[in-house]
Amino acid sequence: MPKAIGFAAQAADQALEYFEFERRDPTADDVEIEIEYCGVCHSDLHQARNEWGGTVFPCVPGHEIVGKVTRVGSKVSKYKVGDTVGVGCMVDSCRTCANCEDGYEQYCDNGFVGTYNGEDKHMGGVTFGGYSNRITVAQDFVLKVSDKLDLAGVAPLLCAGITTYSPLRHWGVTKGHKVGVVGLGGLGHMAVKIAKAMGAEVVLFTTSPNKVDDAKRLGADHVVISKDEEQMKAWRNSLDFILNTVAAPHDLDAYLTLLRLDGTMTLVGVPAESHPSPAVFNLIAKRRSLAGSLIGGIAETQEMLDFCAEHGITSDIEMIAMDEINEAYERMLKSDVKYRFVIDMATLKQK
Ligand code: NAP
Ligand code: ZN
Ligand code: ZN
């Protein structure tokens, strides 16, 4: 079995450190990938610090993976050695429940297999993610990546891209819509770019006054400092859809009241502690909806990658070395990400 190296958290209160483990040899249906870049999602931090409960240690995070195919199993028809590919948040699912059959593997009724901290059906124990030099994944959970785009900037599309694309598509965002995006971090900056490419008028809500110029450069038509009540008031009853990416508990009413009749706010942020309950009156007063959304299915992820390739969309990244990951987590907690950290896996060396 091939040896793998990576970075793992050994406990919730410990920094990530160098870690050696094993990956499986490709089965008939598997693709083996040499990882070149891996994005750093806020979910990695939540999981490594056991903020959602249920983390099994050691934990190797990372679910925004791009790299090159190094070996394929005998039945692999979709990929060949040398292809540029991606892996997102899932490496398998039951493939037989109604949701899987409809292409909604992320909503698998039997639970999808996460790229990390999922039940490893081949090796036992839990799956290890992309903060590592190689990974073996079933071909149906591997994505084709255009080599026209900057590969490091593509990595974050595998989670931040699909998590924002999927709800924007599902709620039918298009030209003529006014769309709010809350939070300009990894997910938020992708939401701005994608909603803009779908033709919407984009209003970005941020707690960070120093991000205003960047938000406009990234495609926001308007930028609102969410702590400023006067600025917030100006947008009451006006937005068709809001995508809320904030990773911390906050007052949802401040945003629900900005929705027009029949508007929806979809939550994608998963704070360790939930938000205070919103006021029912704000929902019924304008038949508003409050919803949630989880990543996206495999076919939709491919559609998103193709959409981004067509529109020249990649993530704005700050490249880091593998051993800078703990510092990156601290900066992420201060909302100081411009706008996604990506690990250059060439900096991960055998000890
Ligand atoms: P991130 O890069 O850290 O961005 C989060 C942004 O939220 C920050 O940049 C900040 O933007 C804003 N923010 C942070 N703390 C805040 C606070 N106390 N009050 C108001 N705004 C605050 O995180 P991310 O990687 O985009 O992930 C965001 C959340 O989505 C995480 O909880 C993650 O686990 C979750 N997630 C969910 C899915 C899914 O499928 N649903 C997929 C991936 C990630 P400003 O500085 O602009 O205010
Ligand atoms: Zn993620
Ligand atoms: Zn299923």
Side-chain angles (χ1 to χ4, degrees):
M1 249 170 317
K3 287 258 178 267
I5 55 174
F7 262 54
Q10 294 287 349
D13 58 357
Q14 282 178 28
L16 275 70
E17 284 178 358
Y18 181 80
F19 177 61
E20 290 186 359
F21 58 106
E22 277 175 349
R23 294 288 194 191
R24 67 179 183 270
D25 280 311
T27 65
D29 194 38
D30 280 336
V31 173
E32 185 190 65
I33 301 158
E34 183 190 323
I35 301 174
E36 289 173 82
Y37 301 103
C38 184
V40 178
C41 180
H42 206 113
S43 301
D44 301 351
L45 187 163
H46 291 306
Q47 193 90 64
R49 298 188 176 178
N50 199 16
E51 290 177 357
W52 296 332
T55 303
V56 176
F57 294 98
C59 172
V60 178
H63 58 206
E64 294 184 337
I65 298 167
V66 289
K68 292 270 187 308
V69 174
T70 45
R71 284 195 289 172
V72 294
S74 58
K75 289 193 182 139
V76 171
S77 53
K78 295 182 181 167
Y79 300 100
K80 58 181 193 314
V81 171
D83 283 355
T84 304
V85 293
V87 177
C89 304
M90 301 182 281
V91 289
D92 210 346
S93 70
C94 86
R95 308 187 195 202
T96 55
C97 74
N99 293 346
C100 282
E101 287 203 337
D102 288 345
Y104 299 120
E105 298 88 353
Q106 76 276 31
Y107 301 120
C108 173
D109 285 329
N110 298 302
F112 68 81
V113 180
T115 304
Y116 57 82
N117 207 59
E119 183 193 347
D120 192 324
K121 293 176 188 165
H122 301 265
M123 305 279 287
V126 292
T127 51
F128 293 129
Y131 296 3
S132 59
N133 62 341
R134 60 167 76 202
I135 191 165
T136 310
V137 180
Q139 63 171 336
D140 286 348
F141 285 76
V142 174
L143 288 311
K144 284 192 179 65
V145 167
S146 161
D147 37 26
K148 276 188 272 166
L149 297 173
D150 166 53
L151 210 50
V154 168
L157 301 183
L158 275 307
C159 176
I162 184 61
T163 301
T164 52
Y165 179 87
S166 181
L168 290 168
R169 271 296 303 266
H170 180 75
W171 274 275
V173 165
T174 186
K175 204 169 160 36
H177 284 174
K178 283 197 176 75
V179 171
V181 173
V182 188
L184 195 67
L187 267 53
H189 94 289
M190 291 313 308
V192 168
K193 291 187 184 203
I194 293 170
K196 190 71 191 166
M198 288 174 172
E201 184 177 341
V202 179
V203 189
L204 186 273
F205 296 88
T206 181
T207 59
S208 308
N210 63 351
K211 292 182 184 172
V212 172
D213 291 344
D214 280 350
K216 290 193 173 149
R217 176 179 56 77
L218 293 165
D221 298 287
H222 316 273
V223 184
V224 176
I225 306 298
S226 53
K227 292 171 183 160
D228 181 334
E229 272 184 39
E230 286 306 308
Q231 285 192 40
M232 291 291 280
K233 249 191 212 164
W235 290 92
R236 283 221 180 129
N237 304 327
S238 69
L239 302 175
D240 297 279
F241 182 72
I242 299 176
L243 191 64
N244 187 327
T245 75
V246 172
H250 62 280
D251 172 22
L252 300 180
D253 286 315
Y255 297 102
L256 286 170
T257 50
L258 307 187
L259 291 170
R260 56 181 295 167
L261 177 67
D262 286 333
T264 298
M265 174 158 77
T266 297
L267 306 177
V268 287
V270 192
E273 279 173 42
S274 201
H275 309 287
S277 174
V280 174
F281 186 78
N282 286 332
L283 296 173
I284 62 180
K286 291 266 187 303
R287 202 162 54 191
R288 296 170 174 126
S289 302
L290 179 61
S293 182
L294 180 67
I295 46 176
I298 294 295
E300 193 179 36
T301 305
Q302 191 63 60
E303 180 188 303
M304 176 277 309
L305 286 168
D306 298 345
F307 176 93
C308 287
E310 189 188 318
H311 290 86
I313 294 175
T314 54
S315 171
D316 281 37
I317 66 154
E318 260 188 77
M319 192 92 85
I320 59 167
M322 186 67 256
D323 63 7
E324 291 173 321
I325 186 65
N326 297 299
E327 206 183 312
Y329 278 7
E330 290 313 313
R331 282 188 52 199
M332 190 146 71
L333 284 174
K334 293 184 201 138
S335 300
D336 178 25
V337 189
K338 305 277 176 5
Y339 281 90
R340 194 59 140 186
F341 293 114
V342 171
I343 304 160
D344 178 0
M345 225 40 83
T347 63
L348 171 63
K349 303 279 186 229
Q350 178 106 37
K351 277 199 180 157

